[in-house]
Amino acid sequence: FEETVAFLTTVPVFRNQLPRSELPKVAQVLHQNQWRSGATVIREGDIGRAFFLVKSGTALVMTFGKSGEPDWIRAKLCKGDYWGGHTMICERPNAATIIAGDGSPLVTLSMSRTVFDQAGLRRFLTFPKRKGWPREEVNYLPRVIPKSPEETDFISRAIRGNINLRAMAYADDTLLCQVAAAAMRIEVTKDTVLARCGDLGHEFFVIF
């Protein structure tokens, strides 16, 4: 409980709007869940039912094409990021699917609109309107391509042989396999933007 209260003091949407005395009340009503890598937290098109806050791990914001296959990764959410603020004030379909990212399990803290109102948080909290993830506008992010076992092995060997990653040269095979398995293989076209000056970086890129 104390850990959750301390965590909330680091999240701007709570720290900047709530009196510190209200944080324990929020910590009491938040429900903690753990999601294995690849698990679906919410689905695009379903009616949003809860607010979610990332406590640890990562979450991928994805949209799907007409075939039902993953279309694009719109964003990668990390510790302190949130989604579903709109569900606290209105009822509408989710704009994207959220799945647990690779690596360590995704841990979320969530609450429903009913809990939000019962806790009296509406008089303190508003969730800033944030840019959504429309298909038409967000087209600069790369398409994720599943890796075969051969490609995972190739990535392991490439990391070990990369002169810019000298520290990995002494890593054991198990660690390298874990790194390779967690990596996302992407292909990008000419002039694709992978990182923007001034943005907070959450990803590490290696060119093969």
Side-chain angles (χ1 to χ4, degrees):
F1 175 76
E2 289 79 8
E3 179 187 359
T4 300
V5 174
F7 170 62
L8 293 177
T9 65
T10 70
V11 180
V13 71
F14 293 109
R15 182 185 66 224
N16 298 337
Q17 298 187 67
L18 281 177
R20 194 176 184 89
S21 60
E22 292 292 315
L23 292 179
K25 181 187 297 183
V26 178
Q28 285 180 332
V29 300
L30 287 172
H31 179 69
Q32 181 167 306
N33 273 311
Q34 181 169 297
W35 312 83
R36 59 177 176 77
S37 177
T40 299
V41 183
I42 64 169
R43 293 184 184 278
E44 180 181 1
D46 288 354
I47 298 299
R49 302 294 183 189
F51 164 86
F52 290 86
L53 173 66
V54 178
K55 186 177 182 182
S56 63
T58 60
L60 303 180
V61 181
M62 304 184 70
T63 55
F64 287 73
K66 294 180 180 179
S67 65
E69 294 297 315
D71 185 9
W72 296 101
I73 290 183
R74 305 293 177 176
K76 184 176 183 179
L77 306 179
C78 302
K79 182 178 180 179
D81 288 331
Y82 68 88
W83 70 89
H86 70 276
T87 66
M88 301 294 99
I89 57 174
C90 65
E91 186 173 282
R92 70 183 188 195
N94 296 318
T97 292
I98 309 287
I99 67 171
D102 291 331
S104 58
L106 168 67
V107 178
T108 61
L109 301 172
S110 62
M111 61 179 162
S112 67
R113 191 196 310 181
T114 299
V115 169
F116 180 76
D117 286 334
Q118 289 176 345
L121 297 175
R122 187 178 293 274
R123 63 194 176 104
F124 294 113
L125 281 176
T126 58
F127 298 94
K129 185 175 181 180
R130 56 198 302 180
K131 184 176 180 179
W133 300 294
R135 289 189 181 90
E136 296 79 13
E137 294 181 13
V138 188
N139 57 10
Y140 54 82
L141 292 174
R143 186 179 299 274
V144 177
I145 301 173
K147 303 187 299 295
S148 67
E150 292 75 18
E151 288 172 325
T152 299
D153 179 64
F154 170 77
I155 292 173
S156 297
R157 290 185 283 107
I159 291 174
R160 189 184 293 279
N162 192 312
I163 61 173
N164 295 310
L165 300 174
R166 294 184 180 87
M168 298 301 293
Y170 303 100
D172 59 36
D173 291 338
T174 300
L175 177 58
L176 284 176
C177 286
Q178 290 174 342
V179 172
M184 293 189 297
R185 175 180 171 241
I186 59 176
E187 292 181 2
V188 295
T189 57
K190 182 181 178 181
D191 297 326
T192 297
V193 177
L194 293 178
R196 295 182 185 277
C197 180
D199 286 355
L200 182 63
H202 290 304
E203 297 177 304
F204 171 72
F205 294 91
V206 178
I207 298 174
F208 295 110

